[in-house]
Amino acid sequence: GVVLAVVNIVFIAKKKPISFSGLFLGVALIVIGIFLLTGYLSFGVLEHLIVAIILGLGIALALYGILTIAVAKQVPFGVVQMILGLAIIALAIVYMNVAEFRTAFWIIVGVIIAIYGVLDLVMILTNKKKK
């Protein structure tokens, strides 16, 4: 959160436009950190909130994969996005229902997010329209 806030301050100092989403995310993360330190927010509640956000990420990723196939006609990338989204959805649902799975969940989600980062990088580097 602090890093995002500092980046936005640097953008303001250099008279570059800042995005509301970046500013909001930075301040929100700082507030969440303060709430955790003061005991106003528990780690259990934060953990459930993060799982809910991850579930939303999986749903959005699956829908984005469908749009990538239908609109952008990039079938391989769309299929991979849909598979990753569905995997994230399945993992979040298993996390909510199987207590013994919770430790492995965080490792698996980290690997999936890393794979998606590589996929996103490949999409950016191979996109002929932006070159």
PDB file of all heavy atoms in Angstrom, residues 45-66:
ATOM      1  N   VAL A  45     -10.817 -12.724   9.396  1.00  0.00           N
ATOM      2  CA  VAL A  45     -11.728 -11.994   8.521  1.00  0.00           C
ATOM      3  C   VAL A  45     -11.010 -11.602   7.233  1.00  0.00           C
ATOM      4  O   VAL A  45     -11.558 -11.733   6.130  1.00  0.00           O
ATOM      5  CB  VAL A  45     -12.291 -10.739   9.232  1.00  0.00           C
ATOM      6  CG1 VAL A  45     -13.050  -9.850   8.274  1.00  0.00           C
ATOM      7  CG2 VAL A  45     -13.168 -11.152  10.400  1.00  0.00           C
ATOM      8  N   LEU A  46      -9.776 -11.144   7.354  1.00  0.00           N
ATOM      9  CA  LEU A  46      -8.992 -10.763   6.179  1.00  0.00           C
ATOM     10  C   LEU A  46      -8.768 -11.969   5.266  1.00  0.00           C
ATOM     11  O   LEU A  46      -8.871 -11.856   4.044  1.00  0.00           O
ATOM     12  CB  LEU A  46      -7.653 -10.162   6.602  1.00  0.00           C
ATOM     13  CG  LEU A  46      -6.754  -9.682   5.474  1.00  0.00           C
ATOM     14  CD1 LEU A  46      -7.416  -8.550   4.701  1.00  0.00           C
ATOM     15  CD2 LEU A  46      -5.410  -9.248   6.025  1.00  0.00           C
ATOM     16  N   GLU A  47      -8.499 -13.121   5.860  1.00  0.00           N
ATOM     17  CA  GLU A  47      -8.293 -14.335   5.075  1.00  0.00           C
ATOM     18  C   GLU A  47      -9.546 -14.700   4.277  1.00  0.00           C
ATOM     19  O   GLU A  47      -9.479 -15.013   3.087  1.00  0.00           O
ATOM     20  CB  GLU A  47      -7.905 -15.480   6.005  1.00  0.00           C
ATOM     21  CG  GLU A  47      -7.570 -16.767   5.306  1.00  0.00           C
ATOM     22  CD  GLU A  47      -7.141 -17.836   6.289  1.00  0.00           C
ATOM     23  OE1 GLU A  47      -6.821 -17.528   7.454  1.00  0.00           O
ATOM     24  OE2 GLU A  47      -7.130 -19.007   5.881  1.00  0.00           O
ATOM     25  N   HIS A  48     -10.710 -14.635   4.909  1.00  0.00           N
ATOM     26  CA  HIS A  48     -11.963 -14.928   4.210  1.00  0.00           C
ATOM     27  C   HIS A  48     -12.243 -13.892   3.124  1.00  0.00           C
ATOM     28  O   HIS A  48     -12.746 -14.239   2.048  1.00  0.00           O
ATOM     29  CB  HIS A  48     -13.132 -14.997   5.187  1.00  0.00           C
ATOM     30  CG  HIS A  48     -13.078 -16.189   6.087  1.00  0.00           C
ATOM     31  ND1 HIS A  48     -13.123 -17.478   5.611  1.00  0.00           N
ATOM     32  CD2 HIS A  48     -12.972 -16.291   7.429  1.00  0.00           C
ATOM     33  CE1 HIS A  48     -13.052 -18.325   6.620  1.00  0.00           C
ATOM     34  NE2 HIS A  48     -12.949 -17.627   7.737  1.00  0.00           N
ATOM     35  N   LEU A  49     -11.919 -12.654   3.389  1.00  0.00           N
ATOM     36  CA  LEU A  49     -12.100 -11.604   2.394  1.00  0.00           C
ATOM     37  C   LEU A  49     -11.204 -11.845   1.178  1.00  0.00           C
ATOM     38  O   LEU A  49     -11.639 -11.702   0.030  1.00  0.00           O
ATOM     39  CB  LEU A  49     -11.813 -10.232   3.012  1.00  0.00           C
ATOM     40  CG  LEU A  49     -11.971  -9.030   2.101  1.00  0.00           C
ATOM     41  CD1 LEU A  49     -13.409  -8.908   1.618  1.00  0.00           C
ATOM     42  CD2 LEU A  49     -11.549  -7.761   2.824  1.00  0.00           C
ATOM     43  N   ILE A  50      -9.970 -12.235   1.422  1.00  0.00           N
ATOM     44  CA  ILE A  50      -9.043 -12.515   0.324  1.00  0.00           C
ATOM     45  C   ILE A  50      -9.533 -13.703  -0.506  1.00  0.00           C
ATOM     46  O   ILE A  50      -9.465 -13.681  -1.735  1.00  0.00           O
ATOM     47  CB  ILE A  50      -7.610 -12.742   0.852  1.00  0.00           C
ATOM     48  CG1 ILE A  50      -7.042 -11.427   1.379  1.00  0.00           C
ATOM     49  CG2 ILE A  50      -6.707 -13.328  -0.233  1.00  0.00           C
ATOM     50  CD1 ILE A  50      -5.724 -11.560   2.103  1.00  0.00           C
ATOM     51  N   VAL A  51     -10.056 -14.733   0.147  1.00  0.00           N
ATOM     52  CA  VAL A  51     -10.586 -15.886  -0.584  1.00  0.00           C
ATOM     53  C   VAL A  51     -11.787 -15.461  -1.435  1.00  0.00           C
ATOM     54  O   VAL A  51     -11.930 -15.899  -2.585  1.00  0.00           O
ATOM     55  CB  VAL A  51     -10.948 -17.037   0.372  1.00  0.00           C
ATOM     56  CG1 VAL A  51     -11.701 -18.138  -0.358  1.00  0.00           C
ATOM     57  CG2 VAL A  51      -9.695 -17.598   1.007  1.00  0.00           C
ATOM     58  N   ALA A  52     -12.627 -14.591  -0.901  1.00  0.00           N
ATOM     59  CA  ALA A  52     -13.768 -14.094  -1.680  1.00  0.00           C
ATOM     60  C   ALA A  52     -13.280 -13.300  -2.890  1.00  0.00           C
ATOM     61  O   ALA A  52     -13.831 -13.423  -3.993  1.00  0.00           O
ATOM     62  CB  ALA A  52     -14.677 -13.230  -0.801  1.00  0.00           C
ATOM     63  N   ILE A  53     -12.243 -12.499  -2.707  1.00  0.00           N
ATOM     64  CA  ILE A  53     -11.677 -11.732  -3.819  1.00  0.00           C
ATOM     65  C   ILE A  53     -11.058 -12.677  -4.849  1.00  0.00           C
ATOM     66  O   ILE A  53     -11.205 -12.474  -6.061  1.00  0.00           O
ATOM     67  CB  ILE A  53     -10.649 -10.704  -3.304  1.00  0.00           C
ATOM     68  CG1 ILE A  53     -11.371  -9.609  -2.518  1.00  0.00           C
ATOM     69  CG2 ILE A  53      -9.831 -10.117  -4.441  1.00  0.00           C
ATOM     70  CD1 ILE A  53     -10.452  -8.687  -1.746  1.00  0.00           C
ATOM     71  N   ILE A  54     -10.388 -13.723  -4.387  1.00  0.00           N
ATOM     72  CA  ILE A  54      -9.804 -14.707  -5.304  1.00  0.00           C
ATOM     73  C   ILE A  54     -10.902 -15.420  -6.084  1.00  0.00           C
ATOM     74  O   ILE A  54     -10.761 -15.672  -7.285  1.00  0.00           O
ATOM     75  CB  ILE A  54      -8.905 -15.698  -4.530  1.00  0.00           C
ATOM     76  CG1 ILE A  54      -7.627 -14.984  -4.073  1.00  0.00           C
ATOM     77  CG2 ILE A  54      -8.569 -16.919  -5.376  1.00  0.00           C
ATOM     78  CD1 ILE A  54      -6.749 -15.799  -3.152  1.00  0.00           C
ATOM     79  N   LEU A  55     -12.014 -15.735  -5.432  1.00  0.00           N
ATOM     80  CA  LEU A  55     -13.150 -16.339  -6.127  1.00  0.00           C
ATOM     81  C   LEU A  55     -13.669 -15.387  -7.205  1.00  0.00           C
ATOM     82  O   LEU A  55     -13.930 -15.798  -8.337  1.00  0.00           O
ATOM     83  CB  LEU A  55     -14.265 -16.701  -5.144  1.00  0.00           C
ATOM     84  CG  LEU A  55     -15.512 -17.349  -5.725  1.00  0.00           C
ATOM     85  CD1 LEU A  55     -15.174 -18.666  -6.402  1.00  0.00           C
ATOM     86  CD2 LEU A  55     -16.540 -17.570  -4.623  1.00  0.00           C
ATOM     87  N   GLY A  56     -13.793 -14.120  -6.873  1.00  0.00           N
ATOM     88  CA  GLY A  56     -14.204 -13.126  -7.861  1.00  0.00           C
ATOM     89  C   GLY A  56     -13.207 -13.019  -9.000  1.00  0.00           C
ATOM     90  O   GLY A  56     -13.593 -12.870 -10.168  1.00  0.00           O
ATOM     91  N   LEU A  57     -11.921 -13.119  -8.687  1.00  0.00           N
ATOM     92  CA  LEU A  57     -10.881 -13.103  -9.717  1.00  0.00           C
ATOM     93  C   LEU A  57     -11.054 -14.272 -10.671  1.00  0.00           C
ATOM     94  O   LEU A  57     -10.955 -14.112 -11.885  1.00  0.00           O
ATOM     95  CB  LEU A  57      -9.490 -13.144  -9.072  1.00  0.00           C
ATOM     96  CG  LEU A  57      -8.317 -13.384 -10.019  1.00  0.00           C
ATOM     97  CD1 LEU A  57      -8.058 -12.159 -10.866  1.00  0.00           C
ATOM     98  CD2 LEU A  57      -7.089 -13.778  -9.242  1.00  0.00           C
ATOM     99  N   GLY A  58     -11.312 -15.444 -10.130  1.00  0.00           N
ATOM    100  CA  GLY A  58     -11.503 -16.625 -10.971  1.00  0.00           C
ATOM    101  C   GLY A  58     -12.695 -16.482 -11.891  1.00  0.00           C
ATOM    102  O   GLY A  58     -12.625 -16.810 -13.085  1.00  0.00           O
ATOM    103  N   ILE A  59     -13.801 -15.968 -11.355  1.00  0.00           N
ATOM    104  CA  ILE A  59     -14.996 -15.763 -12.173  1.00  0.00           C
ATOM    105  C   ILE A  59     -14.712 -14.732 -13.268  1.00  0.00           C
ATOM    106  O   ILE A  59     -15.056 -14.939 -14.440  1.00  0.00           O
ATOM    107  CB  ILE A  59     -16.186 -15.343 -11.295  1.00  0.00           C
ATOM    108  CG1 ILE A  59     -16.578 -16.497 -10.360  1.00  0.00           C
ATOM    109  CG2 ILE A  59     -17.372 -14.913 -12.139  1.00  0.00           C
ATOM    110  CD1 ILE A  59     -17.537 -16.107  -9.253  1.00  0.00           C
ATOM    111  N   ALA A  60     -14.078 -13.625 -12.899  1.00  0.00           N
ATOM    112  CA  ALA A  60     -13.762 -12.587 -13.883  1.00  0.00           C
ATOM    113  C   ALA A  60     -12.794 -13.113 -14.942  1.00  0.00           C
ATOM    114  O   ALA A  60     -12.942 -12.802 -16.132  1.00  0.00           O
ATOM    115  CB  ALA A  60     -13.166 -11.368 -13.181  1.00  0.00           C
ATOM    116  N   LEU A  61     -11.837 -13.918 -14.545  1.00  0.00           N
ATOM    117  CA  LEU A  61     -10.865 -14.459 -15.491  1.00  0.00           C
ATOM    118  C   LEU A  61     -11.531 -15.420 -16.471  1.00  0.00           C
ATOM    119  O   LEU A  61     -11.238 -15.397 -17.676  1.00  0.00           O
ATOM    120  CB  LEU A  61      -9.734 -15.157 -14.738  1.00  0.00           C
ATOM    121  CG  LEU A  61      -8.495 -15.551 -15.516  1.00  0.00           C
ATOM    122  CD1 LEU A  61      -7.904 -14.355 -16.238  1.00  0.00           C
ATOM    123  CD2 LEU A  61      -7.467 -16.138 -14.582  1.00  0.00           C
ATOM    124  N   ALA A  62     -12.443 -16.244 -15.985  1.00  0.00           N
ATOM    125  CA  ALA A  62     -13.168 -17.154 -16.874  1.00  0.00           C
ATOM    126  C   ALA A  62     -14.020 -16.363 -17.868  1.00  0.00           C
ATOM    127  O   ALA A  62     -14.041 -16.680 -19.065  1.00  0.00           O
ATOM    128  CB  ALA A  62     -14.036 -18.111 -16.056  1.00  0.00           C
ATOM    129  N   LEU A  63     -14.694 -15.337 -17.387  1.00  0.00           N
ATOM    130  CA  LEU A  63     -15.497 -14.499 -18.285  1.00  0.00           C
ATOM    131  C   LEU A  63     -14.620 -13.753 -19.286  1.00  0.00           C
ATOM    132  O   LEU A  63     -14.969 -13.628 -20.459  1.00  0.00           O
ATOM    133  CB  LEU A  63     -16.336 -13.510 -17.477  1.00  0.00           C
ATOM    134  CG  LEU A  63     -17.459 -14.113 -16.635  1.00  0.00           C
ATOM    135  CD1 LEU A  63     -18.097 -13.048 -15.761  1.00  0.00           C
ATOM    136  CD2 LEU A  63     -18.486 -14.799 -17.515  1.00  0.00           C
ATOM    137  N   TYR A  64     -13.477 -13.269 -18.834  1.00  0.00           N
ATOM    138  CA  TYR A  64     -12.553 -12.569 -19.726  1.00  0.00           C
ATOM    139  C   TYR A  64     -12.015 -13.515 -20.794  1.00  0.00           C
ATOM    140  O   TYR A  64     -11.787 -13.114 -21.937  1.00  0.00           O
ATOM    141  CB  TYR A  64     -11.408 -11.952 -18.923  1.00  0.00           C
ATOM    142  CG  TYR A  64     -10.562 -11.005 -19.715  1.00  0.00           C
ATOM    143  CD1 TYR A  64     -11.040  -9.753 -20.073  1.00  0.00           C
ATOM    144  CD2 TYR A  64      -9.282 -11.353 -20.116  1.00  0.00           C
ATOM    145  CE1 TYR A  64     -10.263  -8.868 -20.808  1.00  0.00           C
ATOM    146  CE2 TYR A  64      -8.494 -10.479 -20.856  1.00  0.00           C
ATOM    147  CZ  TYR A  64      -8.993  -9.245 -21.182  1.00  0.00           C
ATOM    148  OH  TYR A  64      -8.230  -8.368 -21.915  1.00  0.00           O
ATOM    149  N   GLY A  65     -11.799 -14.777 -20.428  1.00  0.00           N
ATOM    150  CA  GLY A  65     -11.370 -15.769 -21.410  1.00  0.00           C
ATOM    151  C   GLY A  65     -12.412 -15.968 -22.490  1.00  0.00           C
ATOM    152  O   GLY A  65     -12.088 -16.079 -23.673  1.00  0.00           O
ATOM    153  N   ILE A  66     -13.684 -16.001 -22.085  1.00  0.00           N
ATOM    154  CA  ILE A  66     -14.770 -16.119 -23.067  1.00  0.00           C
ATOM    155  C   ILE A  66     -14.769 -14.904 -23.994  1.00  0.00           C
ATOM    156  O   ILE A  66     -14.905 -15.042 -25.206  1.00  0.00           O
ATOM    157  CB  ILE A  66     -16.126 -16.274 -22.347  1.00  0.00           C
ATOM    158  CG1 ILE A  66     -16.185 -17.619 -21.622  1.00  0.00           C
ATOM    159  CG2 ILE A  66     -17.288 -16.157 -23.336  1.00  0.00           C
ATOM    160  CD1 ILE A  66     -17.357 -17.767 -20.676  1.00  0.00           C
TER     161      ILE A  66
END
